[in-house]
Amino acid sequence: MDIEKAITSLDLPGKVRLLTGSAFFALWPEPEIGLAPLKLSDGPTGVRGAELRGGVIACVLPNATLLAQHWDPALTREVGELLADEAAAQQVHVVLGPTINLHRTPLGGRLFEAYSEDPLLTGVLAAAYVRGLQDKGIAATPKHYVANESETERRTVSSELDAKTLREVYLLPFEIVVSDAAPWAIMSAYNKINGIPATEHTELVEGVLKGEWGFDGLVVSDWFATSSTARSANGGLDLVMPGPGGPWEDKLVAAVEAGEVAESTIDDHVRRLLLLASRTGAFGGERSWPAELPAPDSEVRREQLRRFAAGGMTVLTNNGVLPLDAPQVALIGRHALDTVAQGGGSAGLRPPHVISVADGLTSLLGERVSVVDGVEVRQRYAAPAAGVLRNIRATTFGASGEVLESREMEIAELAAVGGWAQGAASIELSGEVVLDEPARMLVGVRGFGDWSLEVAGEQHTTRLAWADGVVEEALLKPPFWTTEVTLSPGDRITARVREAAALVGLITQPVPRPAADAIATAVEAAREADVAVVVVGLTDEQETEGFDKTTLALPGEQDALVTAVAAAASRTVVVVNAATPVLMPWLAEVDAVLWAGLPGQEAGDAVAAALLGHIEPAGRLVTTFPRTDAEAPSPVPVNGALPYAEGTAIGYRGASDPLFWFGHGLGYTTWEYGEASPSTVDGVVHEVSVSLTNTGERSGREVVQVYLRPEDEPVRLIGWTVVDVPSGETVRVGVPCSARVQRVWQDGWHPLRGGEVLIARGLGDVRVVVQLPTPE
C-alpha cells in the first residue's frame, strides 16, 4: 500500500493515534496499512535502546566534542556508520542524534553532547554523521531545533535573539544538515524562541524548515516538551513523544472536529510519519536486519573507538615531555582509577567495559607505573558496579507484595520509569560486598522514595521526598542518604523503596579519605618518579543534561593536588578527563597538558596511546577556553528569558585574550606555512591554497584553518582541511571555503566581501594573512 492510499484508508482517530508514541521509545503499528512498530533510541554517543538505565550492552563512543576535535567529516561519517550497525543489532529504526546546538557558553551542562561553538564546523560534521547513519537505513534526528544552548529552566526558558543572530549562527547548522544530508527526522527543542515554544513555532518550522529549506522529514518533539494541542499541530510538529498520553490523542481529534485544526494538516503529519517508516523499512515491506554484526567489545570496535578517542585528544601545552618516555611514572588522581567515559542524561548508556587510565597505561608500561588515588571529585555518590558488589539483583513488587520481575544486574541502579521497573509498587536492590577483610564502608541509597536498608544486621529507614516533581532532578541528580558501617567479606546489602521516582540505586564505597592525606600520598609518589601524570577532570555531575555549571573550576581539591604534585615532581603532565573548558590556575607550573575529553569505553587505552605517541593526539579545540568564570556568558535566565546579548560574536568571534583559542592544538610535530593564495568568485572566497611543511621529526596530522575577518563583522571560520604529512615533506594544500558563512542576514541574505583572510593553526597562531580586494 502506498502512503496516500494508506492515509485515505484511515479514519481520523486512526490517523491521530499514530502521531503520539506507543511507549517511551516506540511508535504504534497499524497492521491494516502494513505499518510495523518503529523503535527509537537515544544515540548521540551510542545506541542505548529502550531502558534509561541498565539496558542492552552497547558501544560507548567518545563524546561529541572529542570526535569533533578531529575536524574530520570522514571520521564523523564512520561514527554514523558504526552507530547504524549498533542500531541494526537492536532493531532500532531511529537514532535520536546528532546534537547540533552550539557551545554558546562553556558553562552549559550539555556541551559534551554537542560538537562545537562554530556553526560551520558543527553543520559539516553533523551532515557527515547523518549520511553515515542513513546510508545504512537508520534515521538520524538532528536536535534540538533551535537555540537550545542552556539547560537551566530548559522546559520554560525563552531564548531571546534577533533574526541576524538566529539565521547566521543558530539556524545555520540545521540548514547545512538539511541541505547536505537530508535527515529523515528533526527534533524540536524544549525552549521558547522569542516567547514562542519551539514545538509550536510556525515561522521556524513551517516557514523556514519545511518551507524555505524544503525539509520533507518528520519533526518530533523532545520528550514531554509539547504543551498545546492545536497550536503545536498547526505549527508544524508531526509527532508527540513519548506516549501514550500527552496533549494530542483524543484532544487532537476533538480539535479537528471543532475546526481548530484542518484534517489536511493531520494528513501531512501522517504522510511524514509514513515516509519515515518507509525509509527505515517499517512500511511498505518487511525490513531484514543483519544476522551478524561486530559486538561492542569486539576487536574491530575497540580499535575504532581507541582511534576515535586518542586521535581527537588535544595537546594544549608541551615542553618536550610528551610523547612520554620515562623509566618511572607516577600516575595520580581519582580520574586515573575511575575514568569518566561519558556524560550524564539521555546520552548515557551501558558499555561492555570502561578501561581506566590506570589499566591502560599499566598494560603498556607494567611495573614502570605506580598508581596513586587522588582527592574526592564527587559531591554525590555513584552506584557501585561489579567489583564493589557482586551478585547484584533487582526485584519489582506489585501492590499486594507479589513479585513482578527479578533480574541480575551489573550495576546496583535502575530506572523506575521508561523501562521494565515502571509501574512497580516497590523495588528491591541487593548485592554482596566484595572485600578481602573487614572494612569501614559508606553504605546508603540514592533516589526519591521511602527506603528501608538492611546491612550487617542493622536496619535503617529514610524518606527522600520528591517535592517539586522535576524529572531532571529525579533522574540525573537524585538525593542520597548514607551511613558508615563495618562490613565483612560476603555481607549482603538489601534496600527496598516504595513510591520510587525516576532513578533508584545503592551506595557502597570506602569511607572518603581527607584531601590532605590523599595529596600527601600523591606528593610522595611524585618525588620518587621521573614523571608524574596527574589525571583530573569533571564528572557527570557537571557534564550532564538537565543542569548547567555554576563554575569552570575543577571540583573538589583537584587544583591543590596538581599544584602540590608539580612542586614535588621532576616533570608533571596533566591529563584532563573532561569534555568542556576548565580553569587551570596551575598551568604555568606543569610541563604538559593533554586534553582527553570523555573518551568512551576504551578511555584508558586511548589515553595511554596518546601519551606514548602510539596514536598522535592531533585534536584541535572546538571551544574557546576562558581564563575566568566571568568571561563565560551566563546560561541562567532572568525572569524566564535568556538574552543572547553577544549576538553573532559567539565564542572565538567575540574573544580577545582567552586561555586557549578555538582551533588550538600542538600535536607531536611542528609546521611551517609558506605562500598562500585565495581564489574568489564574485568577491566571495572559494578556496585558499597554501604551502605546508612538516618541520618536525615525526609524521603528523595538521588542520589547516581559514578564517575571514571582515571589516565590520566578527571573524569567522570559512574552511579547513585535514592533512597527513610525513616528517620533512612539503605539500600544497587546497582549503575549500564555504559561502554560507560569507554572508550576512538583513531582511534576506547578502554576501560579505573584502576584509582579511587568515590561514591559521587556531586563532592564537595565525600564520598567513592575505588582504582581499576592497569591494567596489
Side-chain angles (χ1 to χ4, degrees):
M1 184 179 293
D2 66 25
I3 289 175
E4 296 306 320
K5 187 180 293 185
I7 293 172
T8 302
S9 71
L10 295 171
D11 60 14
L12 177 62
K15 288 186 282 192
V16 169
R17 177 176 178 266
L18 299 179
L19 302 179
T20 298
S22 63
F24 227 73
F25 293 104
L27 306 186
W28 292 105
E30 183 48 78
E32 178 184 331
I33 61 172
L35 176 64
L38 267 80
K39 290 175 62 177
L40 298 80
S41 172
D42 276 313
T45 52
V47 181
R48 185 182 63 204
E51 298 286 344
L52 297 178
R53 289 290 191 276
V56 299
I57 293 174
C59 285
V60 175
L61 279 70
N63 77 290
T65 58
L66 186 51
L67 295 172
Q69 285 172 187
H70 287 263
W71 291 54
D72 187 355
L75 183 128
T76 51
R77 182 181 183 114
E78 185 182 352
V79 167
E81 292 169 346
L82 186 158
L83 290 173
D85 286 348
E86 288 279 286
Q90 300 180 43
Q91 298 188 10
V92 163
H93 302 82
V94 181
V95 168
L96 303 175
T99 301
I100 58 173
N101 301 114
L102 300 180
H103 297 191
R104 174 182 170 263
T105 169
L107 290 167
R110 203 173 183 179
L111 300 195
F112 72 92
E113 195 181 312
Y115 288 120
S116 81
E117 70 186 21
D118 184 79
L120 178 64
L121 180 63
T122 293
V124 170
L125 295 179
Y129 173 111
V130 170
R131 288 192 294 269
L133 269 167
Q134 294 187 169
D135 284 354
K136 289 194 168 190
I138 305 298
T141 314
K143 60 186 186 182
H144 309 83
Y145 189 78
V146 61
N148 182 193
E149 274 70 41
S150 300
E151 295 297 288
T152 306
E153 300 177 22
R154 66 175 180 163
R155 294 176 185 270
T156 57
V157 65
S158 178
S159 300
E160 303 287 322
L161 63 172
D162 58 36
K164 175 180 173 66
T165 301
L166 185 61
R167 286 281 189 163
E168 293 182 22
V169 179
Y170 297 98
L171 281 173
L172 184 56
F174 290 94
E175 180 184 356
I176 292 170
V177 167
V178 170
S179 175
D180 294 358
W184 298 341
I186 281 179
M187 184 186 293
S188 65
Y190 284 121
N191 55 285
K192 302 181 182 76
I193 302 99
N194 296 327
I196 303 172
T199 51
E200 54 194 63
H201 208 301
T202 307
E203 178 186 353
L204 292 179
V205 178
E206 288 289 352
V208 176
L209 178 60
K210 293 182 176 180
E212 186 178 321
W213 298 345
F215 174 67
D216 69 354
L218 177 112
V219 178
V220 56
S221 72
D222 206 337
W223 268 228
F224 302 105
T226 315
S227 58
S228 67
T229 302
R231 290 194 306 274
S232 55
N234 288 329
L237 187 67
D238 298 308
L239 175 66
V240 168
M241 290 300 290
W248 281 15
E249 295 189 334
D250 293 346
K251 296 174 185 173
L252 185 52
V253 172
V256 175
E257 293 172 342
E260 298 172 3
V261 178
E263 189 162 355
S264 60
T265 299
I266 302 301
D267 289 348
D268 185 62
H269 297 329
V270 175
R271 185 175 294 112
R272 290 169 181 272
L273 176 67
L274 294 180
L275 179 58
L276 173 68
S278 175
R279 285 166 162 168
T280 57
F283 176 75
E286 186 174 347
R287 175 164 186 158
S288 61
W289 300 96
E292 291 187 15
L293 289 165
D297 61 350
S298 63
E299 187 48 44
V300 63
R301 290 292 183 243
R302 297 191 67 184
E303 183 280 326
Q304 282 180 292
L305 299 182
R306 282 194 297 269
R307 174 166 45 86
F308 291 172
M313 292 176 186
T314 302
V315 181
L316 297 181
T317 64
N318 183 20
N319 68 3
V321 66
L322 295 179
L324 197 61
D325 182 16
Q328 194 65 35
V329 176
L331 181 63
I332 297 164
R334 177 61 51 84
H335 283 265
L337 293 128
D338 185 13
T339 306
V340 178
Q342 56 184 324
S346 60
L349 64 156
R350 178 186 171 199
H353 55 252
V354 173
I355 307 297
S356 71
V357 175
D359 286 343
L361 200 58
T362 302
S363 70
L364 296 178
L365 299 184
E367 295 182 357
R368 292 166 58 191
V369 180
S370 60
V371 180
V372 178
D373 195 5
V375 297
E376 291 294 320
V377 298
R378 293 179 179 270
Q379 294 180 320
R380 298 176 130 79
Y381 299 111
V388 179
L389 293 178
R390 62 188 169 206
N391 299 325
I392 301 170
R393 179 164 291 276
T395 305
T396 57
F397 298 88
S400 302
E402 73 278 16
V403 173
L404 300 177
E405 191 167 355
S406 186
R407 295 188 181 186
E408 291 186 1
M409 307 284 286
E410 290 186 349
I411 186 169
E413 176 184 87
L414 76 160
V417 296
W420 68 274
Q422 185 163 326
S426 63
I427 301 171
E428 183 178 277
L429 290 164
S430 65
E432 181 181 312
V433 67
V434 178
L435 290 172
D436 294 326
E437 58 186 24
R440 196 73 176 162
M441 300 286 285
L442 201 64
V443 175
V445 295
R446 61 197 303 257
F448 293 101
D450 283 322
W451 287 94
S452 61
L453 176 70
E454 180 180 346
V455 55
E458 299 179 13
Q459 299 281 343
H460 303 271
T461 60
T462 188
R463 176 172 175 76
L464 299 174
W466 191 24
D468 55 13
V470 177
V471 173
E472 285 86 353
E473 183 177 356
L475 186 61
L476 303 173
K477 289 192 175 181
F480 62 91
W481 173 90
T482 60
T483 185
E484 287 189 25
V485 179
T486 299
L487 294 177
S488 299
D491 279 352
R492 193 160 190 87
I493 302 165
T494 302
R496 191 156 175 170
V497 59
R498 293 183 295 108
E499 300 178 16
L503 185 76
V504 294
L506 294 179
I507 294 169
T508 309
Q509 69 168 60
V511 175
R513 293 178 69 195
D517 292 352
I519 291 173
T521 302
V523 165
E524 183 179 349
R527 285 198 183 105
E528 296 175 355
D530 299 288
V531 175
V533 176
V534 189
V535 189
V536 297
L538 304 177
T539 73
D540 56 8
E541 292 181 1
Q542 295 84 33
E543 305 209 88
T544 181
E545 177 183 2
F547 300 89
D548 291 313
K549 296 188 281 287
T550 58
T551 178
L552 301 178
L554 290 168
E557 297 296 321
Q558 293 184 91
D559 287 333
L561 173 67
V562 174
T563 295
V565 168
S570 299
R571 292 180 295 174
T572 303
V573 175
V574 177
V575 176
V576 186
N577 180 197
T580 49
V582 301
L583 304 182
M584 302 181 188
W586 34 260
L587 186 62
E589 303 163 19
V590 303
D591 298 281
V593 179
L594 177 70
W595 190 259
L598 305 178
Q601 68 185 50
E602 307 302 320
D605 284 350
V607 169
L611 286 173
L612 298 173
H614 298 171
I615 298 175
E616 183 189 21
R620 304 295 187 264
L621 292 182
V622 293
T623 310
T624 301
F625 281 40
R627 293 183 181 275
T628 66
D629 283 339
E631 296 173 24
S634 173
V636 179
V638 177
N639 297 323
L642 184 64
Y644 284 38
E646 69 284 350
T648 61
I650 177 177
Y652 70 86
R653 296 183 178 198
S656 57
D657 183 30
L659 185 65
F660 293 108
W661 281 98
F662 174 86
H664 172 72
L666 301 178
Y668 282 156
T669 188
T670 54
W671 301 93
E672 181 179 293
Y673 283 62
E675 177 266 336
S677 56
S679 62
T680 61
V681 178
D682 295 329
V684 174
V685 180
H686 173 68
E687 184 180 66
V688 172
S689 174
V690 63
S691 175
L692 178 69
T693 303
N694 180 348
T695 56
E697 297 179 355
R698 298 170 59 99
S699 295
R701 167 166 286 201
E702 176 67 315
V703 180
V704 180
Q705 303 162 43
V706 177
Y707 298 83
L708 177 66
R709 185 158 58 199
E711 290 184 4
D712 299 314
E713 291 282 336
V715 65
R716 76 275 317 274
L717 179 73
I718 62 171
W720 73 92
T721 290
V722 178
V723 58
D724 295 294
V725 184
S727 172
E729 290 197 9
T730 299
V731 295
R732 192 74 185 174
V733 179
V735 182
C737 298
S738 173
R740 287 182 172 126
V741 281
Q742 298 179 69
R743 58 182 183 170
V744 291
W745 179 268
Q746 185 177 2
D747 298 325
W749 289 112
H750 305 276
L752 267 176
R753 294 189 177 94
E756 294 178 331
V757 173
L758 314 177
I759 298 93
R761 306 191 70 242
L763 277 173
D765 188 5
V766 175
R767 295 299 181 93
V768 185
V769 178
V770 179
Q771 183 72 44
L772 292 173
T774 302
E776 296 180 0

